[in-house]
Amino acid sequence: MTSGRVTVYFAALLARTEDGWEASDTELDNVETLADLADLAREAAADGADDTVLVFIEQEDAWFGVVRVDGEEDPRVFVSNAAVAARSSYGAMLTDELLGHDQDDEEDELEALDLDGTEDGYDEDAAQAVADDPDGDEDLAAVPAGPLGESAILADLGVAERELLALEGDALVTIADALGAAEVLEAVR
C-alpha cells in the first residue's frame, strides 16, 4: 500500500506447503479485526486447513508484526514495538487484541489516535513520549514500548525468541531468510 511516493505498509502471507513456502501479497483494506486476518490466512492455506500460515505486516522500519495461524487454532501474534504500532491502524488492531481491548470500542480508539491514514510521518520520539506520559492518552500510555505478544512464535520454524527480539531494520526479510522463504517473499515485495 502506498501514500504518495512513500510506502506506508507492506503485508504478505506465507503459507507452508509440502514443497516449501508460498508467498502472496495481500490487501488489508477489508480487515478490521484479528479474526478477519486469521480468516484471510486460513483461505491462503494451500494444502488444507492444518497448514501454517504467517501474516507479515510492516510499516516501513517503524514496526513489524507476525501473525501465525495453524489450522483452526487461535492466531498467535508478535509485534516488534507496541507503542509505535498502536499509532497505526493495522498495528492498533494487533496491539488491541494482545492487550485485551474491547473490539466494540475500536472505532472510538482509532478516532482518539487521530490517524489520517498517512502514518509515514511518524515521530518515534513523540510515540515514546506518549507511551511514557502517565498524564497523556490513557489508551496509548497503557501500550508498552517495545515488543508485545508471543516472542517464541517462530521458534519451531527456526527463528529463536532471542533472534526475533533483536531484529531491526528489514526484519521480515531476515525472518523469511531463516525460514528458507526469502526468494518467495522478495517476489511479492
Side-chain angles (χ1 to χ4, degrees):
M1 289 179 254
T2 61
S3 172
R5 297 175 305 169
V6 180
T7 300
V8 177
Y9 291 101
F10 169 73
L13 297 169
L14 281 179
R16 187 166 60 175
T17 69
E18 290 179 8
D19 299 324
W21 293 93
E22 291 182 7
S24 60
D25 62 343
T26 187
E27 290 292 326
L28 300 177
D29 295 341
N30 296 323
V31 174
E32 296 179 9
T33 66
L34 183 59
D36 293 342
L37 192 58
D39 289 343
L40 184 68
R42 287 183 185 102
E43 290 172 10
D47 294 330
D50 293 334
D51 286 345
T52 296
V53 179
L54 303 175
V55 181
F56 288 167
I57 303 172
E58 175 183 69
Q59 183 183 358
E60 296 176 329
D61 288 332
W63 67 273
F64 70 90
V66 178
V67 177
R68 179 176 177 166
V69 178
D70 293 303
E72 293 301 317
E73 292 181 25
D74 288 340
R76 299 162 51 195
V77 180
F78 173 80
V79 177
S80 66
N81 190 326
V84 175
R87 297 188 55 82
S88 69
S89 56
Y90 300 120
M93 174 184 62
L94 299 177
T95 58
D96 285 352
E97 182 71 28
L98 290 168
L99 295 170
H101 292 167
D102 189 358
Q103 291 296 328
D104 294 334
D105 294 334
E106 180 179 325
E107 189 171 303
D108 293 337
E109 290 175 16
L110 288 177
E111 285 178 21
L113 291 174
D114 194 27
L115 300 173
D116 64 3
T118 59
E119 290 83 33
D120 58 335
Y122 166 77
D123 180 349
E124 188 171 329
D125 293 334
Q128 185 63 44
V130 169
D132 292 340
D133 182 7
D135 298 323
D137 184 330
E138 290 180 24
D139 289 337
L140 290 178
V143 178
L148 181 65
E150 200 172 322
S151 56
I153 190 170
L154 302 172
D156 64 321
L157 298 175
V159 182
E161 181 176 0
R162 185 177 74 207
E163 293 173 79
L164 186 62
L165 291 170
L167 289 176
E168 294 179 3
D170 205 1
L172 299 183
V173 171
T174 304
I175 293 169
D177 189 42
L179 298 174
E183 289 182 20
V184 293
L185 181 64
E186 189 60 36
V188 298
R189 269 207 139 164

